Structure formats: C-alpha cells, structure tokens
C-alpha cells in the first residue's frame, strides 16, 4: 500500500482539510475588515535600500528565481520580482531577470511587462532583460556568475528554489560588492546564503513575502491561517510528547494517530480500542 | 450506455483497444487545436472582466481534477465488484495529464531557446559589447545540437554511427560538457572557503554559536576528528556500559564524532523539521490561493 | 595626503581571496597524493544502512535510483560502487533507474564495469531501466504496473522479457529502494512508494542535513552521507575505494578552513585592539 489517495492516510487528509479551512476562514475575516498584524522582516525592508543603491551607482539589479520549476514557489518568486520591478521602474534602474526554467521564463516575461505597465513606464521594458540561460544547473550557474561579474551588478535578489549553485551566485555577487537579498525554501542552501548574503529569508517567511510587501487583506488572512495551522502542529507535538511520556509510546492514542491505512483502519482502531 | 458502463467499471479511453485509442487521441488533439484557434479571437474580444472569469473557471476546474482524484474514495467494489480497489475513476487520467504538462514544458523550452538565440544573434549582428562571447555561444549551440541530434538518430539506427560522429560527440560531451559541469561544481569548495573565512567571525552571540558549532561539526564528521578523539586523546569509542555513572557516560560521549552526530540529529533535525512544516503549510496555503484565484501576484 | 599603511591585521582581514584559493588548492592536491590513511568512526546512519543490506536474502530484488551526474561524481560514485559491491556479495538482484540522460549513461557504465569484475550478468541478475522524465509519475505507475510503466530497458529489451524481473508486476515486489542522488528525490520515494519496501538514501553531504528527519522517523532505514559516508561503508565492506582515497583531502581541507577561521578572528581582535590603542 502506498499513500496516493486521501483514503490511504486519513490523518493526512484531515490535516490538509483543516489547514485549507484555517486559511479560507482567515481570508474571509480579512476581507470583512479584521485588522491583522505581521511582524517586521528585515530582509524585505532592505529591498528598497538595495534598489536605491543600484540607482545611485547606475548599475543593474539582477533577479534570479533559481532552478525553480514552474509551480507555487516560482509564482511566489515572480510575485516578489514583480514588486521589485515596479520599484525599479520608478527610478529607471536597469534590471536583468535570469531564469533556468523555460516555463518560468515565459511567465516572467509577461509578469515583468505587466509590472512596467502598472508602474506607468511601459517604455522601459526590454524583453532582452528577461533571459532564459540554460536548464542545466551549472551552465545556468556559470551564465549568471559571468553576467554578475561583467555587468558588476549593484543589487542581487535571489528568491526561489536553489541547489548547489546558490553559493556560486552569492559569492560572485559578494566579489563585485553587490547588496544581496536571498529567500529560499531550500533548507540546505540557507547556510550558504546566510554566510554570503546581506539578508536571508528562510522557510515560510518566503511565502509571507507577498503579504508583507502588498499588505493585501487576502494575503494577510492567509498568513494568519498558516500560523494557526502551525500552532495546531505545535500543540499536537506537545500533546504527543506529554501523552507518550505519561502513557508510553504503546498507548492507544499514540498508536491511533500513527495508524496506517484508510477509514476502515481508523474506525477499527477507535472501536477496537486503539491502534495495532 | 456502454461508454458509461465502461467508465463505471473504470475502463476509460486510455484503456480502449489500440485502433480506437489512436482515433480518439487524434480527435482530441485536433479538437484541442480547433478550440485554441477559436478561443484566441474570443478571448481578445472579451472585456478584461470576462477574460478573468474564463481564466478563473479554467484554473479552478484544472485544480479540481487533481484535488478530486486525491480526495475521492478509491474502493468502489461494494457497488462495482470487478472494480480495481486501489483507484477511483479519475486515477487513470493522472498519467496522461502529467504527460500533457511535460509536453507544455517541452514547448516552453523551445520558446526559451528561441529567446536566447535571438538575443545573441542580435548582439553579434549589431556588434554590441562582448559580442565575441555571443558568437561562441551560437557556434557551440549549433555544433552541439547537430551532433546530439545525429547521435540520437544513430542510437535509433536511423543514420549510421561513423567514427567521426562518435569521436566528435565524445569530445564534446564526455570531455567538455561533463568536465565543465564538474569544474563548476568544484568552484563551490573554494567559495565555501572564502565565505567561511569572511563570515565566521565573533561579532555577536549568534554568530559565535554558529562559528563554534560549524567548527565542531566540520572536524567531527571527518576521520581526523575520530583520530584526535580516540587515538590522540584516548577517549573510548564504544558506547557507555549500562548503568554507568555520569562521568563515565560523559567520557564515552564526548568524542568529536559523537558530538557532531548529536548536533546533526538533536539540533539540526528538529530545527529543519520545524522549517519544513512551515514551508509545507505555506506551500499548501499558496496553492489554495492560486487554485481559487485569490493570489493577485503574477496573474 | 599619503595613504595610511595597512597593518598586518588589516591585510589579513582583507586578504585577496585568490590567495585563499591557491592555499586550498595546494592543500587538496597534497593530501590527495599523500599516502595517509585514517580509519573512520562508523556513524549510526551508515551502520544502519549496512545492517539493512545485510538482511537481504539471495535473489531479493532491489531498485537503485541513480540521479547523479559528473558534477557530484566525487560523492555519489563511491557510494554507488560500494552499494553495488555489497548487493552482489548478498547475491541480490537489482535494477537501476535514472531521471535524466547523463545520470543514465554514467550509472549504466559504472554498473557495467563493477558487475563485470564480479561476474554478474546483465539481464539475469541486474538491469538498467534507462531514464524516466517524471519521477512522481513513474513511481505511481510502477506501483500499479511496473512492466507497463517502464516498457523497455536501456538496451531496448522489453522489461517483461528480462529474467531479472520475471514475474514482477509492481514496485511492491521489491525488497528495497536505494536512492543515490544529489537532488532531494527521497521525499518522492517516501511519499509514493509502497510502505512494505524499505528505503535507503545516499545523498551528497549538503543534502544529508534535510534527511535526518526521515531517518529519525524511520521513513528511511539508513543513510550514506557523501564521500565520508562512502568511506565508512567501504570500511565496513573492507574495500578501499574512492571514498577512502578522497577523505584524506577532505579531512585536511576542513582543518585548513578551521585554521583560517581562527586566524581571521584573531586578526579581527588584534585589529580592534590596535584601533582602540590608537584612539
């Protein structure tokens, strides 16, 4: 048996439904006017500072979505880049967006063009500034490193999924004296960004970025819903630790939550007095 | 009626005999072309609100397919005894749907390559700064693409694999591309050195903790750490005996490899687990927003 | 106005990074050729990996997912060589699958070389299924119908005609999956493969950090981490492979990095002290 459907793992299915409900309810709350708080994220506050520095120096800004295949992470990265582009458009700062995924490249072209339109500067949009370099990891890395060196970029924004090439980007940017802000969901690359970048956005702060920058009620509501779901996870963990400490790891309640199988397994466990 | 019975018995068009499948597939592809060609002028004439309504509907239906396939029950043998109990009626369509996504990705690769070639051709023709590199890229692109295509045709025995083709492809792929890949990856070792030298400074409490932990793990995970702990310092390598006192337990667990293992499993793993929970929940929330078109970022 | 002369400490802090690269290069080359061998301390994940393969019986079927290319050759090649050597010692059957063309070629050539040395026959005791473009779809397909999903091996033979997988209908018929990869593909195997099939993991050192959670929860039964893990595993197998040879250079380059970190901090303190004195 493998977990390919909700019926294979009832606990996961209920969790997914709960998280979705928490997110949707809080989006509704936000739409109805609830005031929602989001803490400061220094890396995101520094975006404007980085753009300002680029403008003063007259050197370009690079935006790198990493090796992200088109999906949720790529859309979030492009949302952030769209915001950055709107800021850049105000100062006519040159920019380069370098992509390793052709689908992301195609969507990025539209997103950046939209950003310039929304900023009222469609004349500044140059399609050659949004480039697909290569879908091979190190060919992409060498292309990006080369561009950063040749054009001596002043600010580098790296948001998305990164692998081994992350340090190549970050260190090359450091060599040319660029101010660097990185945000990634790739846990293993965080130490490299922390060592080489000025600001690093870790884990789910990456998903909070669009809410932080736009302060849109829907996005803030979604963020609150995520936090409620995380609280549930934390409470489940604490509850599990307490229950396992008091009753032992063979206790029915502990085994129930770890019970593999579908609804029959669940009901049998409950009616039969605990898991196997 | 036969079609419905087939569907209920989990036979779909993906499982029809060969002849019918080709006919259906041809009809579907042709129909898709007609639909797209017809849709483009319709979308262009629609006002923005109307366009948005269509996009929202299509996005919702596309996401609904995957969500429904996951959540719908799979075991219908109570109603359809000859049913497969490991899938529902949408499951056979998952693989073709994934194949469609891959085909769209492949088309996008053509678009990306076109953009790249166009940029560098323009650089070369207009002799923009550093146009020499553009020439190098274009020549490499044409040569590599030609040889790769010929090589693939030779593998399928459509063209003859001559010694020139074999040698040329081997030089470009095995002795150039593969080695360049390895060389770029090995740059990381040098970059780690300069990044660590620059970043691991005692500037604050957190930076100090980072530095000392990194040094402990770096030396603990290599044989030198074991040599220092168990050979030079004479610490016992084996675990402490049952019922040993605190000092004995400490002596048996203070070796550098054991400390490094403790840091990785007791500090790193829980922190990483916590971050992964947050990332997973964030990803799910983002996916829901995209599915319900609540995300106003890129779209 | 004359430029102020830099002190030793300031020069150390602002050292040109090319000097650092040169020192590291000399260090690595020296210790790669130096005939020093230090035994490794076997870490628990590697011991678990070894013990799991020791439990295999002759004829048991193992799926190896090999997704590495030339860039991570130094870490993944010794892992794969040691794994295949151990599987052959246990007389287990194995099939290899990849997710891209370069990994397919590299793993196929490596397996051919290693199995030829030990007399393992292609098709009878091992096979290579080529590469699949989408791992998630491939695993889901293999769970229900393996011959129908894979269709042909790397030599163009129909999978249903290969003696090594005769009678195999699904991934559930395998005893074990070993994922040798520099990318994070193990969560996909964990999510979609049958729960009766044990999963072992061979990542690069960088990717290992995120796998400790799976090891802790028992979702993977053992792990070999990079070249260091390969050295430990070779030690358990009593063979001297690439892992053992590379670890020397890696060990002493770690020492070099630590020495320079300490030097850098020392220079920073001395510089601050000097600046305070001058004030």
């Amino acid at each position: 048996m493998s977990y390919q459907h909700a019926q294979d793992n009832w606990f996961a299915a209920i969790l997914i439904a709960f998280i979705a409900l928490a997110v949707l309810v809080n989006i509704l709350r936000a739409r109805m006017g609830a005031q929602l708080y989001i803490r400061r994220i220094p890396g995101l506050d520094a975006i404007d500072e980085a753009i300002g520095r680029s403008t003063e120096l007259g050197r370009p800004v690079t935006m790198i979505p990493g090796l992200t295949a088109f999906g949720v992470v790529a859309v979030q990265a492009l949302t952030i880049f769209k915001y950055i582009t709107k800021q850049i458009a105000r100062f006519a700062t040159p920019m380069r967006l370098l992509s390793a995924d052709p689908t992301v490249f195609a969507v990025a072209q539209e997103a950046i063009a939209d950003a310039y339109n929304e900023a009222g500067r469609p004349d500044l949009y140059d399609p050659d500034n949004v480039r697909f370099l290569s879908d091979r990891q190190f060919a992409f890395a060498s292309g990006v490193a080369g561009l950063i060196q040749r054009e001596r970029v002043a600010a580098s924004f790296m948001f998305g999924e990164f692998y081994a090439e992350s340090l190549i980007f970050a260190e090359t940017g450091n060599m040319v004296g660029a101010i660097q802000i990185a945000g990634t969901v790739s846990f293993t690359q965080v130490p490299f960004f922390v060592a080489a970048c000025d600001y690093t956005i870790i884990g789910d702060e990456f998903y909070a970025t669009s809410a932080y920058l736009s302060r849109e009620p829907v996005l803030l509501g979604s963020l609150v819903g995520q936090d409620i779901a995380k609280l549930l996870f934390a409470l489940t963990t604490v509850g599990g630790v307490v229950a396992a400490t008091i009753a032992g790891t063979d206790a029915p309640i502990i085994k129930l939550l770890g019970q593999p199988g579908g609804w029959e397994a669940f009901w049998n466990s409950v009616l039969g007095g605990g898991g196997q | 009626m036969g079609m419905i019975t087939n569907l209920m018995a989990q036979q779909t068009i993906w499982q029809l005999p060969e002849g019918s499948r080709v006919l259906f597939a041809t009809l579907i592809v042709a129909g898709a072309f007609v639909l797209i060609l017809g849709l483009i002028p319709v979308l262009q004439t629609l006002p923005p609100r109307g366009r948005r309504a269509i996009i929202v509907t299509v996005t919702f239906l596309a996401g609904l397919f995957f969500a429904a396939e996951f959540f719908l029950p799979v075991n219908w043998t109570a109603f359809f005894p000859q049913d497969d109990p490991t899938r529902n009626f949408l499951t056979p369509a998952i693989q073709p749907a994934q194949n469609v996504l891959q085909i769209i990705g492949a088309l996008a690769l053509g678009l990306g390559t076109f953009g790249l070639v166009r940029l560098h051709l323009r650089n070369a023709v207009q002799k923009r700064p550093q146009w020499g590199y553009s020439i190098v890229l274009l020549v490499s692109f044409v040569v590599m693409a030609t040889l790769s295509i010929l090589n693939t045709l030779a593998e399928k025995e459509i063209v003859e694999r001559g010694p020139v083709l074999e040698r040329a492809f081997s030089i470009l792929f095995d002795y150039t591309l593969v080695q360049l890949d390895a060389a770029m990856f090995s740059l990381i070792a040098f970059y780690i050195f300069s990044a660590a030298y620059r970043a691991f400074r005692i500037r604050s409490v957190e930076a100090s903790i980072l530095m000392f932990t990194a040094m402990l793990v770096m030396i603990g995970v290599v044989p030198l750490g074991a040599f220092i702990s168990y050979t030079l310092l004479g610490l016992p390598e084996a675990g402490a005996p049952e019922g040993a006192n605190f000092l004995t337990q400490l002596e048996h667990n203070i070796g550098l490899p054991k400390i490094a293992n403790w840091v990785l499993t007791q500090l790193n793993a829980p922190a990483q687990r916590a971050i992964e929970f947050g990332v997973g929940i964030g990803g799910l929330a983002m996916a829901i927003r995209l599915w319900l078109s609540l995300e106003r970022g890129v779209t | 106005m004359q430029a102020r002369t830099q002190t030793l400490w300031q020069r150390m802090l602002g050292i040109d990074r090319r000097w650092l690269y040169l020192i590291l290069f000399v260090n690595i080359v020296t210790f790669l050729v130096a005939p020093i061998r230090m035994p490794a301390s076997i870490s628990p994940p590697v011991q678990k990996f070894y013990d799991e393969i020791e439990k295999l019986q002759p004829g048991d079927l193992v799926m190896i997912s090999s997704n590495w290319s030339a860039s991570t050759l130094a870490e993944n090649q010794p892992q794969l060589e040691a794994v295949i050597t151990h599987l052959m010692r246990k007389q287990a059957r194995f099939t290899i699958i990849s997710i891209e063309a370069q990994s397919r070629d590299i793993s196929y050539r490596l397996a051919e070389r290693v199995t030829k040395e030990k007399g393992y026959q292609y098709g009878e005791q091992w096979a290579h299924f080529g590469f699949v473009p989408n791992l998630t779809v491939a695993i889901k397909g293999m769970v229900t119908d393996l011959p129908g999903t894979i269709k042909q091996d790397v030599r163009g033979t129909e999978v249903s005609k290969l003696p090594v997988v005769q009678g195999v209908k699904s991934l559930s018929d395998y005893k074990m999956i070993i994922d040798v990869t520099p990318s994070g593909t193990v969560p996909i195997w964990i999510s979609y493969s049958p729960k009766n099939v044990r999963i072992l993991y061979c990542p690069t050192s960088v990717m290992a950090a995120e796998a400790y959670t799976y090891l802790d929860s028992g979702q993977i039964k053992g792990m070999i981490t990079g070249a260091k893990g390969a050295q430990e595993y070779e030690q358990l197998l009593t063979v001297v492979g690439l892992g053992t040879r590379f670890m020397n250079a890696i060990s002493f380059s770690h020492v070099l990095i630590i020495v320079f970190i300490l030097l850098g901090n020392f220079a920073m303190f001395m510089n601050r002290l000097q600046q305070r004195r001058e004030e």
Side-chain angles (χ1 to χ4, degrees):
Chain A
M1 185 209 62
S2 62
Y3 295 151
Q4 303 208 21
H5 297 95
Q7 200 168 327
D8 298 327
N9 189 340
W10 61 270
F11 188 52
I14 288 176
L15 271 180
I16 292 170
F18 178 82
I19 295 167
L21 199 65
V23 167
L24 291 169
V25 162
N26 282 283
I27 287 175
L28 263 168
R29 276 186 62 214
R31 272 191 160 160
M32 291 194 310
Q35 290 302 311
L36 301 169
Y37 166 77
I38 181 171
R39 68 166 171 83
R40 215 178 136 256
I41 302 176
L44 301 178
D45 287 341
I47 287 177
D48 288 336
E49 177 199 331
I51 294 169
R53 186 167 177 272
S54 279
T55 310
E56 278 169 19
L57 292 171
R59 283 158 34 185
V61 166
T62 47
M63 294 184 275
I64 306 163
L67 291 183
T68 321
F70 192 73
V72 163
V73 176
V75 169
Q76 181 68 354
L78 291 175
T79 306
I80 298 166
F81 292 150
K82 206 173 159 183
Y83 169 84
I84 294 171
T85 307
K86 280 194 246 184
Q87 304 301 106
I88 282 169
R90 283 168 39 206
F91 305 111
T93 314
M95 59 74 81
R96 309 277 181 269
L97 193 153
L98 309 167
S99 172
D101 184 273
T103 318
V104 171
F105 160 72
V107 178
Q109 279 192 315
E110 294 300 319
I112 300 302
D114 276 347
Y116 277 109
N117 281 337
E118 285 171 28
R121 296 300 306 269
D123 54 303
L124 287 177
Y125 174 62
D126 180 358
D128 287 343
N129 285 339
V130 180
R131 297 180 197 177
F132 166 73
L133 295 182
S134 172
D135 62 342
R136 291 202 60 83
Q137 183 181 18
F138 288 105
F140 178 64
S142 62
V144 169
L147 189 139
I148 289 175
Q149 290 265 18
R150 282 193 307 275
E151 308 213 8
R152 307 203 64 75
V153 303
S156 182
F157 298 100
M158 294 168 278
F159 287 91
E161 264 177 45
F162 294 85
Y163 297 96
E165 77 288 351
S166 60
L167 187 60
I168 295 177
F169 300 156
E171 194 63 11
T172 311
N174 192 280
M175 278 185 212
V176 301
I179 181 168
Q180 301 188 96
I181 301 173
T184 182
V185 295
S186 311
F187 173 77
T188 49
Q189 307 309 315
V190 165
F192 302 127
F193 282 139
V194 165
C197 293
D198 297 282
Y199 298 94
T200 309
I201 287 143
I202 301 170
D204 56 332
E205 283 181 334
F206 176 76
Y207 290 115
T209 307
S210 52
Y212 188 87
L213 294 173
S214 66
R215 302 285 167 159
E216 246 186 81
V218 165
L219 302 178
L220 285 174
S222 166
L223 205 56
V224 171
Q226 281 170 232
D227 282 350
I228 290 172
K230 269 184 274 183
L231 193 60
L232 169 74
F233 271 69
L235 288 174
T236 309
T237 308
V238 169
V241 165
V242 169
T245 308
I246 295 172
T249 49
D250 288 330
I253 185 68
I254 304 290
K255 288 210 167 275
L256 180 67
L257 293 182
Q259 183 71 29
W263 295 108
E264 299 86 23
F266 172 69
W267 289 119
N268 288 342
S269 304
V270 168
L271 297 174
Q276 296 161 15
Chain B
M1 193 57 197
M3 186 78 146
I4 294 170
T5 323
N6 276 347
L7 274 172
M8 299 300 252
Q10 296 227 345
Q11 282 200 25
T12 65
I13 61 166
W14 319 112
Q15 290 156 312
L16 287 173
E18 186 66 28
S20 308
R21 199 195 310 167
V22 170
L23 174 65
F24 268 106
T26 311
L27 283 173
I28 286 167
V29 170
F33 263 111
V34 167
L35 192 68
I36 290 164
L37 288 172
L39 256 181
I40 291 171
V42 169
L43 283 172
Q44 281 178 337
T45 50
L46 275 177
R49 274 193 130 175
R51 244 178 277 163
R52 186 172 158 74
I54 291 179
I55 291 167
V56 166
T57 310
V58 169
T59 307
F60 180 75
L61 288 174
L64 184 65
F65 165 71
F66 288 98
E69 195 278 331
F70 180 76
F71 280 104
L72 280 177
V74 293
N75 194 344
W76 293 86
T77 47
F79 303 100
F80 306 103
Q82 67 248 48
D83 210 9
D84 183 341
T86 63
R87 55 186 190 175
N88 54 47
F89 72 97
L90 288 174
T91 308
I94 285 283
Q95 178 126 7
Q98 299 277 10
N99 292 344
V100 166
L101 289 172
Q102 277 188 305
I103 291 165
I104 293 170
L107 291 172
L109 182 62
L111 183 68
T113 312
F114 170 73
L116 186 70
V117 170
R118 186 187 64 175
L119 168 72
H120 287 281
L121 258 176
R122 211 181 292 156
N123 283 352
V125 164
Q126 294 176 3
K127 291 203 167 66
R128 288 179 183 171
Q130 293 166 348
W131 61 276
Y133 293 120
S134 297
I135 298 281
V136 171
L137 184 141
L138 292 166
V139 168
S140 312
F141 179 81
V142 169
V143 170
M144 193 73 208
T146 308
L147 286 174
S148 298
I149 291 167
L150 286 173
N151 187 66
T152 308
L153 293 174
E155 275 178 8
K156 296 194 184 307
E157 291 169 6
I158 295 172
V159 301
E160 201 188 307
R161 180 193 281 288
V164 172
L165 170 64
E166 194 157 339
R167 188 82 188 130
F169 185 77
S170 176
I171 287 172
L172 278 183
F173 185 78
D174 291 327
Y175 298 116
T176 312
L177 179 66
V178 164
Q179 308 314 321
L180 286 173
D181 248 1
M184 282 302 297
F185 189 78
S186 59
L187 270 185
I188 294 167
F190 296 92
Y191 284 176
I192 283 176
F193 189 19
S194 57
Y197 179 73
R198 195 182 59 248
F200 289 164
R201 300 279 163 86
I202 304 177
R203 289 192 189 98
S204 63
V205 174
E206 293 94 348
S208 310
I209 294 172
L210 174 67
M211 189 187 89
F212 285 116
T213 315
M215 290 200 302
L216 266 174
V217 173
M218 267 198 285
I219 201 70
V221 296
V222 295
L224 198 57
F227 176 75
I228 293 169
S229 300
Y230 305 132
T231 309
L232 279 183
L233 296 175
L235 292 169
E237 191 172 346
E242 275 268 343
N245 64 29
F246 173 74
L247 277 174
T248 312
Q249 291 219 18
L250 186 68
E251 193 190 17
H252 279 81
N253 287 294
I254 211 162
L256 287 167
K258 294 223 168 102
I259 294 176
N261 190 56
W262 183 86
V263 169
L264 287 169
T265 53
Q266 309 303 321
L267 293 183
N268 162 70
Q272 202 248 309
R273 204 176 274 131
I275 292 173
E276 291 285 351
F277 277 143
V279 165
I281 293 169
L284 179 59
M286 177 91 185
I288 291 168
R289 293 200 306 267
L290 284 174
W291 181 29
L292 301 176
S293 299
L294 296 169
E295 180 72 29
R296 287 176 198 280
V298 176
T299 54
Chain C
M1 192 195 278
Q2 275 192 331
R4 204 175 155 171
T5 340
Q6 275 196 320
T7 63
L8 168 67
W9 313 119
Q10 286 170 333
R11 271 183 277 142
M12 270 179 74
L13 287 173
I15 189 172
D16 189 329
R17 61 188 79 214
R18 286 173 293 184
W19 285 112
L20 297 176
Y21 299 159
L22 181 64
I23 293 167
L24 182 65
F25 175 73
V26 168
N27 177 288
I28 289 174
V29 168
T30 305
F31 287 103
L32 259 180
V33 299
I36 304 170
R37 293 275 176 265
M38 278 184 286
S41 168
I42 311 294
S43 57
V46 174
Q47 187 65 57
K48 284 183 192 166
F49 192 107
Y50 178 84
D51 292 341
E52 282 296 321
I53 299 198
E54 280 292 297
K55 287 181 197 162
L56 287 173
Q57 299 301 316
D60 279 350
L61 194 49
V62 174
M63 173 70 83
I64 302 176
S65 171
S66 175
N67 305 315
W68 53 279
S69 56
S71 42
T72 57
L73 189 140
E75 294 195 273
N76 292 126
Q77 181 174 324
Q79 292 171 341
L80 185 59
E81 281 182 356
V83 161
I84 292 177
T85 304
H86 198 182
L87 289 175
M88 289 194 293
R89 269 195 206 170
K90 298 302 296 180
Q91 292 169 9
R93 298 175 288 157
F94 62 91
T95 56
I96 307 177
I97 196 165
S98 299
I99 59 169
E100 60 140 21
Q102 198 186 129
S103 339
R104 173 199 61 191
D105 293 340
I106 287 181
S107 57
Y108 178 60
R109 284 185 218 168
L110 185 151
E112 259 202 327
R113 175 177 52 82
V114 175
T115 52
K116 221 170 253 181
E117 287 166 11
K118 299 282 188 266
Y120 245 48
Q121 294 296 323
Y122 185 89
E124 304 284 333
Q125 288 145 312
W126 78 280
H128 198 301
F129 287 161
F131 87 92
V132 290
N134 188 318
L135 186 62
T136 308
V137 171
I139 296 173
K140 284 183 165 193
M142 285 194 287
V143 166
T144 45
D145 178 14
L146 191 142
T149 305
I150 301 297
K151 295 192 177 58
Q152 282 183 340
D153 75 346
V154 74
R155 294 183 182 182
T157 314
E158 272 182 44
V159 163
S160 52
K161 295 202 167 86
L162 286 171
V164 64
V165 287
Q166 201 63 260
V168 168
K169 294 274 180 280
S170 144
L171 206 49
S172 314
D173 297 327
Y174 280 74
K175 280 282 181 292
M176 195 179 274
I177 294 163
I178 302 176
D179 191 14
V180 185
T181 178
S183 30
T185 47
V186 86
I188 302 175
W189 284 107
I190 291 170
S191 299
Y192 298 112
S193 61
K195 297 309 149 199
N196 62 308
V197 182
R198 287 165 280 160
I199 299 175
L200 302 180
Y201 190 32
C202 301
T204 51
S205 313
V206 164
M207 299 308 288
E210 65 177 16
Y212 280 96
T213 51
Y214 301 122
L215 194 62
D216 206 29
S217 60
Q219 286 163 305
I220 60 175
K221 302 295 183 198
M223 183 165 73
I224 300 178
T225 313
K228 189 245 174 187
Q231 186 210 9
E232 292 173 29
Y233 194 50
E234 285 165 6
Q235 201 166 289
L236 287 169
L237 294 173
T238 58
V239 299
V240 174
L242 285 176
T244 309
R245 291 192 194 109
F246 289 160
M247 271 321 290
N248 226 21
I250 295 173
S251 279
F252 286 98
S253 57
H254 281 206
V255 171
L256 185 72
I257 292 173
I258 290 171
V259 164
F260 270 81
I261 290 172
L262 293 171
L263 273 175
N265 279 284
F266 183 69
M268 186 181 75
F269 278 125
M270 294 306 292
N271 188 45
R272 270 194 209 154
L273 226 79
Q274 199 153 38
Q275 281 175 346
R276 269 192 218 137
R277 272 194 216 131
E278 281 165 12
E279 280 161 22

